[in-house]
Amino acid sequence: MKVTFKVCFCCARSFKVKSSEPPQEIKTLFDNYSQNGRISEDEMLRFVIQVQGETHADSNYVKDMFNMLKHHGVFHPGGLHLEEFYRYLLSDFNSPLPLSGEVWQDMSQPLSHYFLYTGHNSYLTGNQLNSRSSTEPIVKALKRGVRVIELDLWPNSSGTEAEVRHGGTLTSTEDLQKCLNAVKENAFEVSDYPVVLTLEDHLNPDLQKKVAKMVSKTFGRTLFRCRGEYKKCFPSPEALKNKILISTKPPKEYLQTHISQGATTNESVNAEELIQDEDDKTVAVEYRDLISIHAGNRKGGLKNCLNGDPIRVMRLSMSEQWLETLAKTRGPDIVKFTQRNILRIFPKTTRFDSSNYDPLVGWIHGAQMVAFNMQPDVLLSNGPGGGNFNPYSQDLQVKTTLKVKIYSGEGWNLDFSQDHFDRYSPPDFYARVNVGIAGIPLDTISYRTETDTDEWFPVWNEEFEFPLRVPELALLCITVKDHDKNSQNDFAGQTCLPLSEIRPGIRAVRLHDRLGDVFKHARLLVRFVFEPLTSSSPSSVSVPVVGKIGIERRSLIVNVKDYDGPSANPKHNPGTPPVTISQRSPGRG
């Protein structure tokens, strides 16, 4: 096949471009599992068990697979020939993530044992300074699986009603009732598991009473009411199905949050010492009764809050700057706090463009609500010697090795115009496989494939190994780019997969754009092999398997405009986050 690029009105360049064809290793596998040039149902069953690691498979499983392929034109009554087999490997049926939407994890543990997909300023349509406020981003977030919605409540100009807006900016306002209706109508469209509505409250008691009445009337029986202020643990996601939880902090705690966003650490600590606990008289009783996840604020600032309260669970918010500062000196204390309580991390105020920060710092310390501008399940059990897990420990032992082989890619010629990447030639793709592992610092590493020049159907056939100490916290991030000698490399797709969810074997990895929307055709053919150690060192950390709350089975890339994947430096820049809700596993704390 030839493609031609016009250089000027009288000149053109022609390139012979190969079509997508099976790599040699796939041809060899086909020969090993086929007879007379076709793979029958029995031979396919042997393949999915031995190569794909699907030990649960039986004849009915393969029959269902063949029926699905038949409906999509990838089937022959006598079995699959080589091209059909290759099309199957690159099909959506062969995803690296589980295809079933059923929840198989234990969802009966306290809510603090789970990561929640969390939004920041969920009502804004653009930047943090002068964009429009609307219900549209709320609806979009809920439909993409977000479980925590944030609304900022302020008095209107007359002081008679509460409205939604980003205070101290030029952003427009939105009607509170419309926002509540948007949450009610879309909360459980993707998942039956609970939605948390975080209210950043800047209201006087009279307006709080009005809001309480509005919230109660709008949500009705779906509103979860926590009877009793002091609870030693949160309810489970299973018990909270189809429920909406209100989480809020009083105006005084908002002051503390505001200080932590804009001030230095020392300044924040000094200022927070001036903030007293919430006065019972400052909040309407009706409003208090709505709160099922209490925002904590204790004397002495955030350092004392990390000690927790033995008779009451709470939610604590801190900025990304606060987290980075405390993580350097009190990492195990943060992990211990999140064993019972909920920790919410939010972007610093200088991210005017609604960019995002590195979420792994929060996740590896157990922060359940890492709030993203829009725009898993891991228990951190005891570490060496029975102490709290320390993600920065240098003594963690390797538990398993992941081998990732990038065979080839295809689909860009269907998703992009001919001259999208290079004006005068086909693209020069490489996978900066950023196959980077993003997790604890010792597990963070990345590699890059060679560049396949002038090819719409790149072939790499390169394998990378990743020794992993805490695989339950690791994310596999892959970014594909077009190499340009004289300008910035062009983005060509990305994906991020939680290792706990990856199915071994040869899989079709679909790519996404910068905003997390999946490309229709662009994908990679990748082989995943896990090689666990036969025995674990007594000093290794035991972290049970992770999983997702029942939302759509996929990993997407959040809008990270200023993020370019994991660095080649294994101690810098963990990878891009998946946008899923994840279980943190039973037995936590």
Side-chain angles (χ1 to χ4, degrees), residues 2 10 16 50 54 93 97 109 117 154 250 252 308 409 427:
K2 284 189 176 182
C10 62
K16 186 177 180 180
Q50 296 177 356
E54 300 179 40
F93 305 125
L97 300 180
Q109 302 302 311
Y117 184 17
W154 294 81
K252 289 181 179 179

Side-chain angles (χ1 to χ4, degrees), residues 207-265:
L207 288 181
Q208 288 174 348
K209 291 179 182 179
K210 287 188 175 183
V211 170
K213 184 177 180 180
M214 189 182 301
V215 169
S216 298
K217 183 178 180 180
T218 302
F219 297 140
R221 292 185 178 181
T222 62
L223 184 65
F224 177 76
R225 294 180 180 271
C226 186
R227 302 300 179 183
E229 182 180 357
Y230 300 101
K231 296 288 184 179
K232 290 189 176 182
C233 69
F234 291 107
S236 70
E238 191 67 30
L240 294 171
K241 274 187 172 181
N242 295 301
K243 291 294 184 181
I244 295 174
L245 288 72
I246 303 298
S247 179
T248 188
K249 49 189 176 183
K252 289 181 179 179
E253 180 166 311
Y254 172 77
L255 175 60
Q256 166 250 298
T257 301
H258 190 67
I259 291 171
S260 70
Q261 284 180 319
T264 65
T265 302

Side-chain angles (χ1 to χ4, degrees), residues 29 226 229 279 397 404 415 443 499 504 527:
L29 276 173
C226 186
E229 182 180 357
D279 185 348
Q397 303 298 310
V404 179
D415 289 327
D443 285 348
L499 259 66
R527 184 168 188 170

Side-chain angles (χ1 to χ4, degrees), residues 380 389-402 437 439-445 465-474 499 531 533 536-537 539-544 570-571:
L380 302 180
F389 171 69
N390 182 1
Y392 296 104
S393 173
Q394 299 295 309
D395 299 324
L396 302 177
Q397 303 298 310
V398 173
K399 294 172 63 177
T400 189
T401 297
L402 169 66
I437 290 294
I440 66 168
L442 285 180
D443 285 348
T444 302
I445 190 172
E465 291 191 11
F466 302 92
L468 301 172
R469 295 153 184 83
V470 188
E472 298 83 359
L473 284 175
L499 259 66
E531 296 183 349
L533 297 184
S536 298
S537 167
S539 63
S540 63
V541 177
S542 174
V543 186
K571 293 187 178 181

Side-chain angles (χ1 to χ4, degrees), residues 230-498:
Y230 300 101
K231 296 288 184 179
K232 290 189 176 182
C233 69
F234 291 107
S236 70
E238 191 67 30
L240 294 171
K241 274 187 172 181
N242 295 301
K243 291 294 184 181
I244 295 174
L245 288 72
I246 303 298
S247 179
T248 188
K249 49 189 176 183
K252 289 181 179 179
E253 180 166 311
Y254 172 77
L255 175 60
Q256 166 250 298
T257 301
H258 190 67
I259 291 171
S260 70
Q261 284 180 319
T264 65
T265 302
N266 290 335
E267 291 170 346
S268 297
V269 171
N270 293 335
E272 284 173 4
E273 290 176 351
L274 301 177
I275 300 171
Q276 304 299 312
D277 285 342
E278 175 191 356
D279 185 348
D280 290 351
K281 297 180 181 180
T282 64
V283 179
V285 175
E286 300 91 335
Y287 191 73
R288 250 189 204 287
D289 291 343
L290 298 177
I291 305 173
S292 51
I293 299 179
H294 288 260
N297 183 30
R298 303 174 63 189
K299 286 184 179 181
L302 289 175
K303 287 190 175 181
N304 283 348
C305 284
L306 286 179
N307 296 331
D309 189 326
I311 61 173
R312 173 185 173 181
V313 291
M314 69 179 77
R315 172 179 67 84
L316 183 65
S317 291
M318 67 173 67
S319 69
E320 58 175 292
Q321 297 151 303
W322 258 105
L323 175 66
E324 290 172 359
T325 299
L326 291 182
K328 294 176 182 178
T329 57
R330 302 192 63 193
D333 291 337
I334 299 175
V335 174
K336 182 179 180 181
F337 176 84
T338 61
Q339 289 176 353
R340 294 179 59 246
N341 304 286
I342 290 177
L343 180 60
R344 176 179 175 270
I345 310 300
F346 55 88
K348 59 186 178 182
T349 54
T350 54
R351 293 189 180 274
F352 304 125
D353 60 350
S354 294
S355 61
N356 282 299
Y357 51 98
D358 179 2
L360 264 297
V361 179
W363 284 337
I364 66 176
H365 288 89
Q368 299 90 340
M369 296 182 180
V370 177
F372 295 111
N373 287 314
M374 296 296 169
Q375 311 160 1
D377 140 62
V378 178
L379 159 65
L380 302 180
S381 56
N382 287 342
N388 292 316
F389 171 69
N390 182 1
Y392 296 104
S393 173
Q394 299 295 309
D395 299 324
L396 302 177
Q397 303 298 310
V398 173
K399 294 172 63 177
T400 189
T401 297
L402 169 66
K403 293 183 178 179
V404 179
K405 185 165 188 177
I406 311 293
Y407 291 111
S408 58
E410 68 169 36
W412 290 281
N413 61 318
L414 299 175
D415 289 327
F416 298 92
S417 63
Q418 179 175 288
D419 59 354
H420 177 85
F421 296 105
D422 293 318
R423 190 173 180 180
Y424 304 120
S425 68
D428 309 315
F429 286 129
Y430 68 88
R432 185 174 164 190
V433 175
N434 278 358
V435 178
I437 290 294
I440 66 168
L442 285 180
D443 285 348
T444 302
I445 190 172
S446 73
Y447 299 101
R448 168 179 165 164
T449 67
E450 296 295 327
T451 299
D452 198 0
T453 306
D454 295 334
E455 288 295 347
W456 280 106
F457 302 97
V459 175
W460 297 291
N461 286 321
E462 295 187 46
E463 185 174 73
F464 308 97
E465 291 191 11
F466 302 92
L468 301 172
R469 295 153 184 83
V470 188
E472 298 83 359
L473 284 175
L475 305 172
L476 179 66
C477 305
I478 303 177
T479 301
V480 180
K481 291 190 176 184
D482 166 56
H483 176 70
D484 290 320
K485 293 182 179 179
N486 301 318
S487 61
Q488 185 176 6
N489 295 337
D490 296 318
F491 174 84
Q494 62 185 350
T495 191
C496 188
L497 306 171

